[in-house]
Amino acid sequence: MTVPSVLDRLIQQALHQVLSPVFEPTFSAHSYGFRPGRSAAQAVQQARTYMEEGRRWVVDVDLEQFFDCVNHDILMSRVARRVKDKGVLKLIRAYLQAGILEGGIVAVRQEGTPQGGPLSPLLSNILLTDLDRELERRGHRFCRYADDCNIYVHSQRAGERVLASLTGFLETRLKLKVNRAKSAVDRPWKRSFLGYTVDTRQRNIRLKVAEKPLERLKSALKLAFRKGRGRKIYRTVEMLSPKLRGWVNYFRHADVKGVFEQLDGWIRRHLRKILWRQWKRPFTRAKMLMRLGLSEERAWRSATNGRGPWWNSGASHLNQALPKKVFDRIGLVSLMAQYHRLKSMT
């Protein structure tokens, strides 16, 4: 790992302030990552435009451990094309070779860039501008976000030719490693780009949330639910709110909105499960169900049904006792409501 310090961060910030105005005007219009006024959402929207134009095959190029494999000499030669100050060049080289802690010993970095600061993304854009210009020279339609690059073509055969030639270009010209197992030529709806994929069941291309970010969110929420077993339910809801707001804000550009409604129901079910566990004994469960509006007979029948917490959390008695409006009152973020609010603002 890299040895961090306040001085390192200050040096990175200073170098970024010097280099960014020099290189930013030279970057490609197809480069969206870590640039002022540009975003992942713009890249995804541009990718959809390419698909709507009839380019229904994507060349998904995966660079293997990009930030760990950057060749220092090649990168420095690109920097030196526009930076002539030897002191600045020496400082950048020193930053690239910053110590790595391995087995208690600090070793000089031979390749790759330190991560975690503002400078590495800028340097990656400087290096990969060569790739952008090569793709532009060949007339390709593409989107690149840092080391994530997708090229959109009309046929599988064209895509295979592009992937083969780009693999040679990247490995020969830039000394970068292409992960052949993860790179592919495929239909866009079978791949994902920056967390999005597409739905083509209708004539128009519709963006939707890909499976991997959905599963990552569920895994993170399950961890929060486990931590919430011994807490007041409103504390658990408070803990969930920032994560839910951030997630729906990123995926607000999705056109397929069913996932937000499904997640809302899934989250409420988990919260009902937490409460059912906390109530523990049949007497407490019956008392709480009656307090929440169920009849005495139904409350006792539900409290003594012998079923597990997950089954009960999806059953009608808990849905009636703890409807959506109860969770709304304690501040649970509704992904569906947030999605519609954000959509109305765009």
Side-chain angles (χ1 to χ4, degrees):
M1 63 182 210
T2 304
V3 182
S5 72
V6 175
L7 181 59
D8 288 338
R9 288 192 289 271
L10 291 174
I11 291 173
Q12 285 192 56
Q13 291 171 3
L15 286 172
H16 189 276
Q17 290 176 1
V18 170
L19 296 177
S20 185
V22 174
F23 286 97
E24 178 60 32
T26 71
F27 291 153
S28 169
H30 304 284
S31 168
Y32 294 90
F34 306 104
R35 297 182 59 193
R38 292 184 161 257
S39 66
Q42 292 173 335
V44 171
Q45 297 287 7
Q46 182 60 66
R48 174 165 62 179
T49 300
Y50 293 147
M51 287 180 260
E52 288 175 343
E53 292 172 351
R55 296 175 174 84
R56 299 298 179 94
W57 288 89
V58 61
V59 182
D60 189 350
V61 181
D62 185 275
L63 295 175
E64 187 172 338
Q65 298 179 322
F66 172 76
F67 286 100
D68 294 328
C69 297
V70 170
N71 184 287
H72 290 177
D73 292 334
I74 292 176
L75 174 56
M76 288 304 302
S77 71
R78 272 53 178 178
V79 174
R81 289 173 180 174
R82 292 189 172 271
V83 177
K84 304 304 178 184
D85 189 306
K86 292 184 178 180
V88 173
L89 293 173
K90 186 176 180 180
L91 197 57
I92 296 170
R93 174 75 75 167
Y95 162 76
L96 291 173
Q97 296 177 339
I100 307 172
L101 189 61
E102 296 178 342
I105 300 174
V106 177
V108 175
R109 186 187 299 273
Q110 299 299 324
E111 61 179 12
T113 63
Q115 297 181 49
L119 193 54
S120 285
L122 176 60
L123 294 177
S124 73
N125 277 333
I126 292 172
L127 180 63
L128 290 174
T129 294
D130 277 24
L131 171 61
D132 298 339
R133 297 308 179 202
E134 180 66 15
L135 290 169
E136 290 170 351
R137 186 185 67 80
R138 300 181 186 186
H140 291 309
R141 303 293 188 269
F142 70 98
C143 300
R144 183 177 65 78
Y145 191 95
D147 59 327
D148 199 345
C149 184
N150 277 9
I151 305 104
Y152 296 86
V153 296
H154 287 288
S155 69
Q156 182 178 11
R157 181 175 294 181
E160 289 169 351
R161 286 198 302 268
V162 170
L163 180 57
S165 62
L166 281 185
T167 298
F169 174 85
L170 288 165
E171 294 184 342
T172 303
R173 180 86 167 267
L174 299 181
K175 304 299 182 186
L176 296 172
K177 298 176 183 177
V178 175
N179 188 326
R180 287 168 169 77
K182 293 184 178 180
S183 298
V185 177
D186 209 340
R187 294 294 196 178
W189 48 90
K190 295 181 179 179
R191 309 291 293 184
S192 65
F193 181 50
L194 301 176
Y196 285 86
T197 186
V198 296
D199 181 16
T200 58
R201 285 177 292 181
Q202 297 184 11
R203 185 171 182 177
N204 294 331
I205 296 291
R206 300 196 303 159
L207 297 174
K208 68 176 185 178
V209 181
E211 284 297 323
K212 284 187 178 180
L214 181 59
E215 291 305 316
R216 282 197 296 268
L217 174 67
K218 285 186 172 182
S219 295
L221 292 178
K222 285 178 180 178
L223 179 61
F225 295 142
R226 285 195 292 271
K227 291 180 178 178
R229 290 176 183 175
R231 295 176 177 169
K232 296 288 186 181
I233 198 68
Y234 72 89
R235 292 293 186 193
T236 300
V237 167
E238 286 177 353
M239 183 172 59
L240 297 177
S241 293
K243 185 178 295 294
L244 295 176
R245 291 184 191 278
W247 196 86
V248 72
N249 184 61
Y250 182 83
F251 288 107
R252 69 187 186 276
H253 303 284
D255 303 301
V256 180
K257 58 187 179 182
V259 65
F260 301 107
E261 188 173 15
Q262 291 167 10
L263 275 171
D264 276 341
W266 182 84
I267 291 166
R268 290 194 296 271
R269 183 171 181 179
H270 271 279
L271 293 175
R272 293 186 187 106
K273 176 183 173 183
I274 290 172
L275 287 170
W276 190 256
R277 284 181 180 275
Q278 289 178 348
W279 295 342
K280 292 182 179 178
R281 296 180 299 138
F283 175 79
T284 305
R285 289 171 175 170
K287 181 180 71 173
M288 293 303 299
L289 289 173
M290 286 186 281
R291 184 180 296 177
L292 290 166
L294 269 64
S295 67
E296 182 178 357
E297 186 273 333
R298 190 180 182 200
W300 276 105
R301 189 172 69 250
S302 300
T304 57
N305 62 31
R307 299 275 191 164
W310 183 246
W311 185 91
N312 278 281
S313 66
S316 60
H317 55 271
L318 268 189
N319 277 270
Q320 182 180 333
L322 296 167
K324 179 179 181 297
K325 62 183 180 181
V326 169
F327 296 107
D328 289 341
R329 283 200 297 267
I330 62 175
L332 178 64
V333 172
S334 167
L335 295 173
M336 195 65 172
Q338 283 289 107
Y339 170 79
H340 282 301
R341 186 182 68 83
L342 292 167
K343 276 291 190 182
S344 68
M345 295 169 59
T346 56

